[in-house]
Amino acid sequence: EGAAEATPSTMSVVAPGREEALLKKINEKDREIIDLKLNHSRELMNKTVQLQKALEEQEAEQEQQEREHEQEQEETALEIMQKDDRLDQLVYQILSYLHYGTKVTSVASKGETTRMLLYLVTDQQSQHVCLSPLDENA
């Protein structure tokens, strides 16, 4: 009872030669749809590959920039250490000169010159730099 009966309005009557032509047309349309889907899939795959390559290039460029930045930081740190060492050497050299005393010439604003001895004096609490006139006759 529940089965629907075929009526002339629901049945399709197709001539035998026409049925073959319709099936052929349906197959052609199916092929077109499949070809469109395949082309769309290929395009998506190509775009995915392009995006992946672009991402890899960007990552490689970023890594290169990071390596260059690290190298610059290392070079800067090395330069700072070298300058610090050179400064220590200069301070030690100056202290050595002052320890043994060094002769200097003082020039006044009027153009008068005075020879002096610049030396380092160490007492119990600190070190002092002293300046004493030199006796040119001695």
Side-chain angles (χ1 to χ4, degrees):
E1 274 186 310
E5 292 183 32
T7 64
S9 63
T10 59
M11 283 182 44
S12 175
V13 179
V14 178
R18 181 91 172 116
E19 183 178 335
E20 196 174 302
L22 286 173
L23 287 175
K24 187 176 179 184
K25 198 167 205 170
I26 290 171
N27 284 339
E28 287 174 4
K29 291 294 180 185
D30 286 346
R31 286 189 199 281
E32 287 178 19
I33 290 171
I34 290 170
D35 287 344
L36 286 172
K37 287 182 177 181
L38 281 173
N39 286 338
H40 184 68
S41 295
R42 286 184 190 120
E43 289 174 6
L44 288 176
M45 194 65 144
N46 287 339
K47 287 180 181 179
T48 303
V49 168
Q50 290 172 350
L51 288 173
Q52 183 66 30
K53 285 181 182 178
L55 178 63
E56 289 172 0
E57 289 173 2
Q58 186 179 12
E59 288 173 348
E61 183 178 332
Q62 185 175 2
E63 288 174 3
Q64 178 65 23
Q65 289 175 349
E66 288 173 0
R67 281 193 298 272
E68 289 173 359
H69 181 67
E70 288 173 3
Q71 185 177 2
E72 288 173 2
Q73 284 181 331
E74 288 173 4
E75 290 172 359
T76 302
L78 181 61
E79 288 175 8
I80 289 171
M81 289 188 324
Q82 289 172 341
K83 288 178 180 179
D84 194 44
D85 288 345
R86 180 66 180 138
L87 184 61
D88 286 345
Q89 291 171 358
L90 290 172
V91 168
Y92 178 76
Q93 187 177 7
I94 290 170
L95 290 174
S96 295
Y97 282 132
L98 293 175
H99 179 72
Y100 295 108
T102 186
K103 295 178 184 177
V104 295
T105 302
S106 172
V107 180
S109 60
K110 296 179 183 175
E112 299 171 358
T113 60
T114 308
R115 297 280 293 159
M116 297 187 187
L117 182 65
L118 186 65
Y119 59 96
L120 188 65
V121 174
T122 304
D123 61 20
Q124 295 172 345
Q125 297 168 348
S126 61
Q127 293 182 333
H128 306 282
V129 176
C130 296
L131 192 59
S132 297
L134 282 175
D135 185 8
E136 296 292 329
N137 299 329

